[in-house]
Amino acid sequence: LTLEDIHVMGTAFSSDVQVDEATPTGTSFPVPRTVKILRSASIDEGRSSVSEHEFEWMIQRRPLVVTEESLRLDYGEQEAHAMLSEFSAHGLEKYQGALNWPGVGTRWRQYLNFLREEHARDDNDNNNDNDTRGTAAHDSDANGALTDVDSAFRAFGNSLGRVLTYRALALDDAAYKAITKSDFICPSGQLRVSEQELANVVETKGVRTIAVARLFIAHLARLLGHDPSISLHDDWQTTTLIASGYSNYDRRNSGRSKRVHLFEVSCPVVESLGWTLHEVALQAPSVLGGEADREPWFNFPAPALPEGCWFDGRLQRTERYSLYGLPFLRERLKRCFVFNSSKELTEALRPFANHQAELHARDCMLVERPS
């Protein structure tokens, strides 16, 4: 089963259902003004580029070198074969090292198409005016044209841009101060083992197994031992609801409370995996056996909403998986909110939950409607 098969299976759920990834569902329900803002910063929301030190952070964790064996570990034998065959068929082998970074490997067809378009543009320039092209090529190379795998990785990462996304955590005051001081939100596994041990989990288990283990978390300890990943959510309500399950509001001693802290951050898209939750679920049989759960919608209950909230697993905004953690927090942070009571959490989340229930009901009606 290749990811192309999975894409077909996912979209075949209903030809009538239109999944609009660009619709900013969560922004239609902003964080209520009554919620306290602990910290805010002026970041350039119009900025789409990825900084050089952000690219270097990625490459330090996974160099841009790939082998058939490493691709098989990350994506399975069939997918690895498809990747290498396609790059070879188009004469683009020198760029395939970038597939080692999970944010590229999980988007490999998009990366391949990007490379082909860039080369076609260069060919058109060359055919239009050889003399002018000779000068332009020199200038273009100096400005980051595709000359090798490093330049291709950076160009593709910049083409994906950035996303304003969210991570919520239930923290006491000491834990919040520790995070801000470290300038880093680490995976939960790093609370128990070292950063190097988590990196070894990635290298020995592979991207697909980690993603499946995170989605089907009951199997995580058996499959991985410790979790090297984190989740980001483009709708603040999603991560806030999840964090409510770890919160504790002590009325007698606020210092012992674990309040939900909501971090609003600007992150490079290429830093996260390109798979939706639905695509991960369809790959689960390759890791866990059994049959795939093809139902894209799921209901997630948590203390803030005991009846749960409906989410569409076909949307990447529902959840983005990232490996290794979230670095450079200070420069990426736009705002950090803190919810001071369980009641405040529930009241903030309710409008979004009602909206999601309406979307789910509408989607189910379209699926059940006779053709």
Side-chain angles (χ1 to χ4, degrees):
L1 187 69
T2 68
L3 285 181
E4 188 167 19
D5 298 324
I6 287 170
H7 176 72
V8 172
M9 290 165 62
T11 55
F13 178 71
S14 171
S15 59
D16 294 320
V17 178
Q18 298 298 315
V19 181
D20 185 2
E21 183 70 65
T23 302
T25 307
T27 58
S28 302
F29 304 94
V31 180
R33 293 183 179 180
T34 54
V35 177
K36 183 178 180 180
I37 299 177
L38 279 182
R39 180 174 295 192
S40 61
S42 298
I43 63 172
D44 183 1
E45 292 189 48
R47 173 191 167 202
S48 61
S49 62
V50 182
S51 300
E52 179 58 26
H53 63 271
E54 291 176 310
F55 281 124
E56 286 298 324
W57 182 88
M58 298 178 224
I59 294 172
Q60 286 170 7
R61 278 144 189 82
R62 272 211 158 185
L64 304 182
V65 179
V66 77
T67 65
E68 185 173 357
E69 182 181 3
S70 67
L71 287 176
R72 283 201 305 266
L73 177 64
D74 277 337
Y75 303 110
E77 185 172 352
Q78 286 182 296
E79 195 69 7
H81 177 74
M83 289 176 171
L84 295 176
S85 296
E86 287 290 323
F87 274 78
S88 176
H90 295 287
L92 298 171
E93 296 96 327
K94 74 175 183 177
Y95 302 117
Q96 64 192 26
L99 299 173
N100 199 38
W101 179 250
V104 178
T106 54
R107 298 180 175 92
W108 73 268
R109 291 189 183 279
Q110 186 177 354
Y111 175 53
L112 179 64
N113 289 335
F114 170 80
L115 295 174
R116 293 180 63 190
E117 289 172 3
E118 289 298 304
H119 277 266
R121 185 177 297 113
D122 286 347
D123 289 343
N124 287 336
D125 289 343
N126 187 53
N127 291 334
N128 288 337
D129 190 340
N130 286 332
D131 293 334
T132 304
R133 175 58 184 160
T135 303
H138 180 272
D139 294 340
S140 182
D141 289 350
N143 290 321
L146 306 188
T147 56
D148 54 23
V149 67
D150 290 274
S151 60
F153 175 57
R154 286 163 171 79
F156 180 65
N158 277 315
S159 76
L160 295 177
R162 307 183 74 88
V163 62
L164 193 66
T165 189
Y166 299 87
R167 173 71 172 168
L169 297 166
L171 305 168
D172 59 24
D173 292 345
Y176 170 72
K177 290 177 182 177
I179 286 176
T180 56
K181 183 179 180 180
S182 69
D183 196 27
F184 181 69
I185 296 179
C186 68
S188 62
Q190 202 165 321
L191 301 175
R192 302 170 183 85
V193 298
S194 69
E195 181 179 359
Q196 184 56 53
E197 287 177 275
L198 284 190
N200 289 340
V201 172
V202 178
E203 296 310 307
T204 58
K205 302 298 182 180
V207 175
R208 181 177 65 179
T209 296
I210 292 169
V212 169
R214 184 168 184 86
L215 180 58
F216 297 93
I217 200 165
H219 300 276
L220 192 145
R222 174 178 64 84
L223 291 173
L224 306 180
H226 299 285
D227 189 1
S229 65
I230 67 167
S231 293
L232 299 170
H233 309 262
D234 298 356
D235 297 314
W236 63 266
Q237 296 91 340
T238 313
T239 185
T240 300
L241 177 64
I242 295 170
S244 75
Y246 301 90
S247 65
N248 174 41
Y249 291 92
D250 192 325
R251 294 182 179 180
R252 296 183 179 181
N253 187 343
S254 60
R256 294 188 302 190
S257 292
K258 288 189 174 181
R259 301 179 295 172
V260 172
H261 292 67
L262 175 65
F263 298 86
E264 182 180 44
V265 290
S266 170
C267 295
V269 172
V270 75
E271 204 170 274
S272 60
L273 306 191
W275 294 332
T276 66
L277 292 183
H278 190 48
E279 288 171 326
V280 174
L282 293 174
Q283 295 180 75
S286 298
V287 177
L288 301 174
E291 296 293 325
D293 181 0
R294 301 186 185 185
E295 169 58 53
W297 284 91
F298 63 96
N299 183 276
F300 186 85
L305 291 173
E307 72 279 16
C309 180
W310 285 100
F311 296 101
D312 188 345
R314 295 166 297 184
L315 304 181
Q316 179 137 71
R317 67 179 305 107
T318 297
E319 189 158 4
R320 297 175 183 272
Y321 288 164
S322 290
L323 305 184
Y324 305 107
L326 195 161
F328 313 118
L329 182 60
R330 279 190 290 272
E331 71 180 61
R332 296 177 172 187
L333 183 68
K334 181 183 178 184
R335 291 177 294 184
C336 180
F337 302 88
V338 61
F339 293 84
N340 284 312
S341 70
S342 299
K343 180 181 178 182
E344 187 174 42
L345 281 169
T346 299
E347 291 178 350
L349 294 172
R350 182 73 65 191
F352 177 78
N354 291 340
H355 176 70
Q356 289 295 103
E358 292 174 4
L359 292 179
H360 173 248
R362 186 186 312 162
D363 210 358
C364 290
M365 288 178 63
L366 288 172
V367 171
E368 295 171 1
R369 186 179 62 195
S371 58

